[in-house]
Amino acid sequence: MQRFHVTTFGCQMNVHDSERIKGMLEAAGMGEAPAEDEANVLVFNTCTIRERADDRLVQHLNAARIRKEREPDLRVVVAGCWAESVREAIFRDFPWVDAAVGPGRIGALQTVITAPAGAERGAFGSFDDFAADLPKRRERHHQAWLQLSMGCNSVCSYCIVPSVRGRERSRHPRDVLAEARLLAAEGVTEVTMLGQNVNSYGRDLPPAERCTFAEMLRAVDAIDGINRIRFMSPHPKDMRGDVIEAMAECDAVCNQLHLPLQSGSSRILKQMRRTYDADRYLELVARVRAAIPDVALTTDIIVGFPGETEADFEETMRVYDAVGFDHAYTFIYSSRAGTEAASFDGHIADDVKHERLSRLVELVQQHAALRNAALIGTVQEVLSDGPSRREPTVFRGKTRGNKTALFSPPAPAGTIVSVQIEQSTSQTLRGTQAIPVTA
Ligand code: 5AD
Ligand code: SF4
């Protein structure tokens, strides 16, 4: 029997696509190998958002080449955004790659893997399949991704995504809701809605079928069994009152929001083509907090965008401090060929970028520690993920605010428990499960 192994790089969208890739390979009669070196079909689901992502992939491909010299039957398959960005050139530059598919063509994977010698080994472009409609293999019984859309219509000047994932296409609300109901029936309690820009969901649908993102939140909230709804990522420019109201009013929608800021300098935001400025972002945060006072806010920030001065960077630090985020993903700007910003003047020296990043990371940690410490003494609802890997007697799970909580005594994966928070670090909360008193 052929045994596959999928290595995933990049974002949640890729994690979700990998579940579909695994589901398809299983449907084709293959089994998953427990480790990469026990597999004879290696799949790399790739990301191309930063140059380093590309470098890491090349290392994996080189390792696969060495293995293939000893095991000529080994199949090397490349899927995802990097494959889309290089397309057929992959077979020229990495001749030991047997098949490749872009993120819009996952459905073609089986055909290209089993293609006879001389047949087409690559499937790119066209974005004609929703990975969501393919068979899937869920990693966790009680949690699932729910894909709302694919592609992106924004024109952020640094970003390669629109060119590899195409224009935004919303999945039909009927299909999204049918999947959500099916997931609930299978025992899923938490869904994370996915889209490059979830809150522009539905705008491309024909008027008779149109459903806004806020309406979708309410419709999934109404499904019995779904107790937690998360989503990522919204674009601040499309975060309107109806979404904030739906978040506040729907019991299942978690008190958590990942709202990418990218920069705190209005001048840089303009160069990034984000279409909001620092003041508008801060106003938005104030509106979200007024509606959902205990909301946990996280963000994405890029340091060292072309032309970023020390004063611009200080604006980012100021806005970060003013919001007091719960956490942030911090990125060093990476120039991507084909993006608008790649041709901008004023690229920042590496040492300056690194120095700014380390100052920002310090601020991120400080606020994370403060925000977590503020939860000491509270009772948090935690969805158990089972035993902690490092301390098997301690269990771990996520709060509704999406923070990792360690707790004892144990509760099986998938159960929702109340945890009295006693300690915290910048990364985790720790506490004791409050045993419900039964009459
Ligand atoms: N360089 C650095 N970071 C980037 N991101 C997107 N493109 C780039 C780039 N060229 C970051 C953004 C985005 C996150 C997923 O990746 O912060 O929100
Ligand atoms: Fe995700 Fe973007 Fe990376 Fe593609 S390039 S995997 S969309 S982060």
Side-chain angles (χ1 to χ4, degrees):
M1 178 158 119
Q2 287 211 305
R3 307 230 287 167
F4 65 83
H5 186 271
V6 181
T7 309
T8 309
F9 303 86
C11 67
Q12 309 307 333
M13 197 65 88
N14 260 20
V15 174
H16 172 262
D17 287 351
S18 286
E19 290 186 345
R20 305 291 168 165
I21 290 173
K22 291 178 191 178
M24 281 181 64
L25 297 178
E26 279 176 353
M30 297 184 203
E32 184 172 18
E36 188 170 336
D37 56 5
E38 291 171 49
N40 44 22
V41 176
L42 299 185
V43 182
F44 299 101
N45 192 15
T46 63
C47 172
T48 190
I49 202 147
R50 289 173 294 277
E51 204 174 358
R52 241 189 57 175
D54 294 7
D55 295 345
R56 274 180 59 211
L57 175 70
V58 169
Q59 286 171 14
H60 278 263
L61 288 182
N62 286 334
R65 173 195 199 160
I66 293 168
R67 239 188 98 184
K68 204 165 174 171
E69 282 165 8
R70 283 181 280 118
E71 303 164 58
D73 290 339
L74 187 75
R75 288 283 155 270
V76 181
V77 183
V78 183
C81 297
W82 179 81
E84 183 67 41
S85 73
V86 295
R87 295 196 170 206
E88 272 79 12
I90 194 171
F91 301 118
R92 183 196 66 211
D93 298 341
F94 304 89
W96 60 97
V97 169
D98 296 289
V101 291
R105 301 294 305 281
I106 291 173
L109 195 74
Q110 214 169 310
T111 323
V112 293
I113 289 186
T114 51
E120 208 54 69
R121 294 182 295 156
F124 308 105
S126 90
F127 304 96
D128 52 7
D129 316 313
F130 263 106
D133 296 331
L134 302 168
K136 65 173 175 238
R137 233 280 314 284
R138 247 195 349 270
E139 293 301 317
R140 283 205 175 113
H141 175 72
H142 52 280
Q143 271 173 343
W145 311 109
L146 187 59
Q147 190 179 2
L148 295 192
S149 61
M150 56 185 187
C152 182
N153 287 354
S154 300
V155 289
C156 304
S157 60
Y158 50 81
C159 191
I160 189 102
V161 173
S163 70
V164 289
R165 286 201 180 247
R167 294 201 44 90
E168 180 170 310
R169 301 234 329 261
S170 297
R171 200 173 159 209
H172 199 290
R174 192 183 47 225
D175 297 340
V176 177
L177 289 171
E179 188 184 7
R181 285 190 204 101
L182 190 72
L183 290 169
E186 287 173 4
V188 166
T189 51
E190 178 175 311
V191 295
T192 303
M193 298 182 179
L194 286 182
Q196 232 59 249
N197 178 6
V198 281
N199 47 4
S200 62
Y201 172 74
R203 290 186 196 162
D204 57 326
L205 292 169
E209 295 163 16
R210 200 160 289 164
C211 165
T212 64
F213 177 58
E215 287 164 345
M216 183 54 83
L217 283 175
R218 291 180 189 275
V220 177
D221 175 69
I223 297 174
D224 275 348
I226 304 286
N227 297 312
R228 292 178 160 204
I229 301 171
R230 307 186 190 281
F231 55 87
M232 63 194 303
S233 292
H235 191 305
K237 77 176 163 61
D238 296 313
M239 191 76 195
R240 312 242 163 99
D242 60 341
V243 175
I244 299 174
E245 273 164 36
M247 285 183 72
E249 288 168 19
C250 293
D251 288 341
V253 178
C254 290
N255 56 324
Q256 178 230 328
L257 184 64
H258 181 73
L259 195 62
L261 167 66
Q262 311 299 2
S263 170
S265 155
S266 297
R267 196 182 72 83
I268 294 293
L269 285 168
K270 198 162 189 179
Q271 301 278 308
M272 289 177 161
R273 296 196 185 273
R274 292 289 289 174
T275 71
Y276 54 84
D277 60 14
D279 286 344
R280 243 188 80 200
Y281 186 94
L282 287 170
E283 275 165 35
L284 179 57
V285 166
R287 276 167 52 212
V288 170
R289 283 207 170 127
I292 312 146
D294 61 349
V295 70
L297 285 170
T298 55
T299 197
D300 289 345
I301 292 183
I302 300 176
V303 299
F305 185 81
E308 183 188 78
T309 61
E310 175 60 25
D312 291 316
F313 176 68
E314 278 165 17
E315 281 293 280
T316 297
M317 297 284 277
R318 181 186 69 81
V319 173
Y320 196 95
D321 210 33
V323 175
F325 289 99
D326 288 82
H327 228 295
Y329 296 99
T330 53
F331 304 100
I332 284 187
Y333 171 76
S334 174
S335 180
R336 305 312 285 139
T339 60
E340 191 189 359
S343 63
F344 287 176
D345 293 334
H347 282 265
I348 308 293
D350 275 352
D351 56 340
V352 176
K353 287 187 197 168
H354 281 100
E355 191 272 331
R356 286 181 189 163
L357 182 76
S358 63
R359 274 192 281 161
L360 178 61
V361 167
E362 193 167 314
L363 187 66
V364 169
Q365 297 301 342
Q366 273 172 22
H367 279 286
L370 280 174
R371 295 283 301 168
N372 285 352
L375 297 177
I376 293 176
T378 65
V379 173
Q380 297 290 316
E381 181 202 291
V382 176
L383 175 58
S384 175
D385 284 326
S388 137
R389 244 170 281 147
R390 270 186 248 153
E391 300 170 70
T393 56
V394 172
F395 274 49
R396 61 182 284 151
K398 286 277 166 64
T399 66
R400 293 184 72 87
N402 210 25
K403 292 169 187 273
T404 300
L406 300 165
F407 64 92
S408 52
T415 47
I416 289 181
V417 296
S418 295
V419 176
Q420 171 87 37
I421 305 301
E422 289 144 3
Q423 293 172 42
S424 71
T425 67
S426 60
Q427 303 298 325
T428 52
L429 304 172
R430 193 180 273 264
T432 307
Q433 199 195 137
I435 311 281
V437 183
T438 44

